[in-house]
Amino acid sequence: MSTFLSNNKTLFYLLSLYCQQKDNDFHHQQLATLLNISPKQLNRYLKLFQQYNWLIYHAGNGRGHLSKIQWQGDIEQIIVDQLKPHLSTMTMIDWGELFAFPDLTDSLAVRFKHLYQLNIKNNILHNEHLIVPIYHPIHNLQPNQVNDVYSAALISNLTNRLVEADANGNILPSLAHHWKMNRETLRLYLRKNVAFHNGDLLTAQDVTWCLRQLLHLPLWQPIREIIIVDMWTIDFIFSEPCTYALHLLTDIQASIYKIVDNVVFGTGSFEVSKHTPHQIILEASDNYFGMRALLHTVELNILPKGSNSFYQTNFSNNNNHKKMNIQNGICAVILNKNEESCSTKAQRQHIKNIIHKHLYKPIESDFALQNHLRSFSKTISTLSKKEVLKIGVPKEKLNLSQHLVSSLGKYGYHPQIETLTLSDYIKDSLHPLKYDAFVYTNVTTVNSAFHKMHDLFSPISPIYKVCKEDAYFINIFEKFKLATVAEWPSLFDSLNHYLIEEAILIPLFTHLDDIPFANDILELDFNHLGYIDLSTIWYDKEEI
């Protein structure tokens, strides 16, 4: 028996009897065994429930005769009423025990869900406490090492960058209140009296320590060094012109933080008060230099992915509440031209034709990708000898991997699929691409040309790993350093077209995906990175 239910045995046994013996006759001993109690204890609970007029118990007369329970009234409502006094103290784990209860009826699950949602509302209104179920672990809270959207979504609430960008790409002050830029130098002036969550004041030394760790990254190459001018002023010295330097400072990896005793501290509107593998609790920072968060506490609980239909709290149909969905993601097959089986365009085009022929329908139905079908050839030759093809596929794309195995196998390939969990995917992103083909899924919450280019030129990107020595790829990179903001979309389109024409990138579909945390929160605002700004979340009190 679970901890919560063991402390509320009347509720536990009533729920057990109802879910497991709602309509069936039973042997008394078998039912006692099922409930893991003695026949005497079972008799005691049956008598108690009869006193409450919840049921009438008809004992079997003699050995071999079945007993029967006749339920009185709306038992599901009685169970809900028994649960209500415990709402204010129930944890996410307690709710998990209820939703995972054996043989739970659909109607009772719906009632539990309504109670759960009521509990969330009451927490928000009366305790300023938001409980958010999440379905992926937070892998890293150190900004310069983050390479997954779930960790980045959390870090964006714990840290700040020197500057921010609005939805239109305009650069706004943040930790830096002012700046001057020319072809040789970018000077930034820091706010004074900004505190990290451990109480230490932010200085130019903290900023340079963070950002110098990024100078090895491709997009940071034009920055020769970062110099401390004084306690509140830093200079970026360019070795060559770099028009995107300020936009680069808006990236999540450019967040400013410090590490003390192996703990990461930021300057954001929330600070971490508890961090375990299954739970992260954030509390509003009283010393935040911007607006203090409207919520006092945000509790993130990691739950099994399949349980989201029970835990989802976005229950309002009010038009004032925005459900944040995005369609800026892509699922594609990347062919590694550095591997022998995909080293020539002819080899890659052969694989591309197979994929297009057998995955034609999802591509054809995706308006954004229809123009990529013009080179599709229905006449495909079979290889003269078996060709092993190593393919990396994210775990959630199992159906896709089966299609790839079936399709490629018809033409002489021997696909060897390696299924990757999110943890594997993140771990592999730090190493060279070891596959002949790789199923790449990328959800970008900001549909800006800079962030698209940033994704392509990031060293953790499989496209970068495949193309970093490609002459055309390098040429676009060099143009990007000098291009104006207005020229960035054209550069991205040119590079994307090249990758598709060379059969390096084979788009399968753009896909609708949810921003982390968005399914379970109302009254959402984005920060410029496209992540949810937890500091501004509030519920409309008129709903209650």
Side-chain angles (χ1 to χ4, degrees), residues 139-147 155 209 213 257 259 264:
H139 288 274
N140 203 323
L141 292 182
Q142 190 166 327
N144 69 337
Q145 295 180 9
V146 69
N147 53 6
I155 288 173
W209 177 82
Q213 297 179 68
Y257 66 100
I259 299 176
V264 177

Side-chain angles (χ1 to χ4, degrees), residues 128-188:
E128 299 183 2
H129 184 162
L130 175 65
I131 302 173
V132 182
I134 59 176
Y135 311 102
H136 297 278
I138 304 300
H139 288 274
N140 203 323
L141 292 182
Q142 190 166 327
N144 69 337
Q145 295 180 9
V146 69
N147 53 6
D148 71 284
V149 69
Y150 304 99
S151 300
L154 179 58
I155 288 173
S156 68
N157 287 277
L158 304 177
T159 62
N160 299 101
R161 280 115 326 257
L162 291 177
V163 293
E164 306 284 6
D166 64 16
N168 298 316
N170 301 311
I171 302 299
L172 306 173
S174 185
L175 291 176
H177 62 82
H178 186 63
W179 54 87
K180 296 177 182 177
M181 184 175 174
N182 56 40
R183 290 175 64 88
E184 293 82 28
T185 307
L186 168 62
R187 173 166 289 186
L188 296 117

Side-chain angles (χ1 to χ4, degrees), residues 318-343:
N318 190 322
N319 291 331
N320 294 325
H321 293 144
K322 297 170 286 184
K323 180 164 169 43
M324 297 298 191
N325 285 327
I326 53 175
Q327 199 162 8
N328 301 328
I330 189 170
C331 179
V333 175
I334 295 173
L335 299 181
N336 189 353
K337 68 181 190 133
N338 301 319
E339 295 293 333
E340 185 178 350
S341 60
C342 300
S343 59

Side-chain angles (χ1 to χ4, degrees), residues 90-92 95 116 119-120 123-124 129-133 297-301 311 313 520-521:
M90 287 180 66
T91 67
M92 192 70 76
W95 287 106
Y116 170 74
N119 192 34
I120 295 297
N123 261 323
I124 291 286
H129 184 162
L130 175 65
I131 302 173
V132 182
T297 307
V298 176
E299 180 182 325
L300 305 173
N301 292 270
Y311 289 101
T313 58
D520 302 285
I521 305 174

Side-chain angles (χ1 to χ4, degrees), residues 185-324:
T185 307
L186 168 62
R187 173 166 289 186
L188 296 117
Y189 301 90
L190 304 180
R191 295 181 189 273
K192 298 178 181 179
N193 299 321
V194 173
F196 288 101
H197 294 148
N198 70 334
D200 293 347
L201 287 181
L202 172 77
T203 67
Q205 185 174 355
D206 298 308
V207 173
T208 54
W209 177 82
C210 288
L211 300 183
R212 282 171 180 167
Q213 297 179 68
L214 303 175
L215 293 180
H216 68 285
L217 300 176
L219 284 173
W220 290 71
Q221 288 176 6
I223 302 170
R224 187 176 77 241
E225 58 181 325
I226 304 173
I227 296 174
I228 297 174
V229 178
D230 60 38
M231 194 171 183
W232 314 110
T233 313
I234 59 172
D235 279 350
F236 285 66
I237 311 299
F238 301 133
S239 57
E240 55 185 312
C242 180
T243 58
Y244 59 72
L246 279 169
H247 285 80
L248 193 62
L249 295 177
T250 69
D251 182 63
I252 195 71
Q253 289 192 320
S255 300
I256 305 304
Y257 66 100
K258 72 185 307 179
I259 299 176
V260 179
D261 296 331
N262 296 318
V263 178
V264 177
F265 294 99
T267 61
S269 56
F270 281 95
E271 56 186 290
V272 177
S273 66
K274 180 180 179 181
H275 188 184
T276 71
H278 304 290
Q279 185 185 64
I280 298 176
I281 296 180
L282 311 179
E283 291 187 1
S285 173
D286 290 327
N287 296 319
Y288 183 50
F289 67 89
M291 178 188 70
R292 189 187 186 280
L294 294 173
L295 290 168
H296 181 269
T297 307
V298 176
E299 180 182 325
L300 305 173
N301 292 270
I302 299 171
L303 298 170
K305 196 170 183 180
S307 61
N308 61 340
S309 61
F310 287 134
Y311 289 101
Q312 185 174 329
T313 58
N314 194 354
F315 46 83
S316 173
N317 296 318
N318 190 322
N319 291 331
N320 294 325
H321 293 144
K322 297 170 286 184
K323 180 164 169 43
M324 297 298 191

Side-chain angles (χ1 to χ4, degrees), residues 40-57:
K40 286 185 178 181
Q41 287 176 303
L42 176 58
N43 280 332
R44 202 155 47 239
Y45 278 106
L46 288 171
K47 288 179 181 178
L48 176 65
F49 297 159
Q50 284 194 115
Q51 290 174 7
Y52 290 149
N53 294 319
W54 294 343
L55 57 81
I56 298 173
Y57 172 59

